[in-house]
Amino acid sequence: MITGYVNRHMEAIVSVDLIDDNGFRWRREVIIDTGFSGDLTLPAEFIHQLGLTLAGQVDATLADGQTVETNQYQATAVWDGEHLTVDVMESRNQFLLGTNLVEGRTLTVQMWAGGDVLID
């Protein structure tokens, strides 16, 4: 089970641990984005801190309908106690968790500031 909270901007937040190329764990809060079908979106600066290697480029359709080409990486994440290889799309400044990591689970969000988020 993964728990989180709803922030003052009404965004559902959970924490994800990512492991860099030296085995160090980095914990970051991410916004659950139900409009994003991938695994994770991370800022370029953080991707470089993790030491991730470029895996290729992919087309991404943004919320406004615009399609852009973005860099894609693979990372090791600790998700609900398990080490998983996840696809990471590069962004300018967003930490987003996509529906691919929530698929097959129940997502419960109390939609008020300070409300609970539960992925079970």
Side-chain angles (χ1 to χ4, degrees):
M1 177 173 22
I2 298 161
T3 60
Y5 67 97
V6 175
N7 68 15
R8 65 184 178 93
H9 301 292
M10 302 305 293
E11 298 165 328
I13 306 291
V14 294
S15 293
V16 174
D17 288 350
L18 295 150
I19 300 175
D20 69 16
D21 55 355
N22 294 314
F24 184 78
R25 260 189 190 191
W26 298 72
R27 177 165 285 181
R28 289 295 182 267
E29 289 188 336
V30 294
I31 300 167
I32 299 173
D33 182 352
T34 59
F36 170 43
S37 61
D39 293 339
L40 290 172
T41 298
L42 301 174
E45 182 179 323
F46 185 58
I47 288 170
H48 297 298
Q49 286 177 326
L50 290 172
L52 302 182
T53 303
L54 182 66
Q57 294 188 319
V58 295
D59 288 333
T61 304
L62 306 179
D64 65 2
Q66 179 185 8
T67 300
V68 296
E69 188 173 71
T70 186
N71 292 331
Q72 184 167 319
Y73 303 81
Q74 286 194 323
T76 300
V78 181
W79 184 243
D80 203 14
E82 294 184 34
H83 286 70
L84 298 176
T85 300
V86 296
D87 291 328
V88 174
M89 292 175 60
E90 182 180 287
S91 74
R92 288 190 184 137
N93 59 4
Q94 293 187 308
F95 290 85
L96 301 176
L97 179 110
T99 57
N100 195 47
L101 291 178
V102 182
E103 184 177 359
R105 300 170 180 254
T106 300
L107 171 63
T108 305
V109 180
Q110 294 177 329
M111 286 305 298
W112 57 80
D116 291 330
V117 174
L118 176 65
I119 301 172
D120 196 17

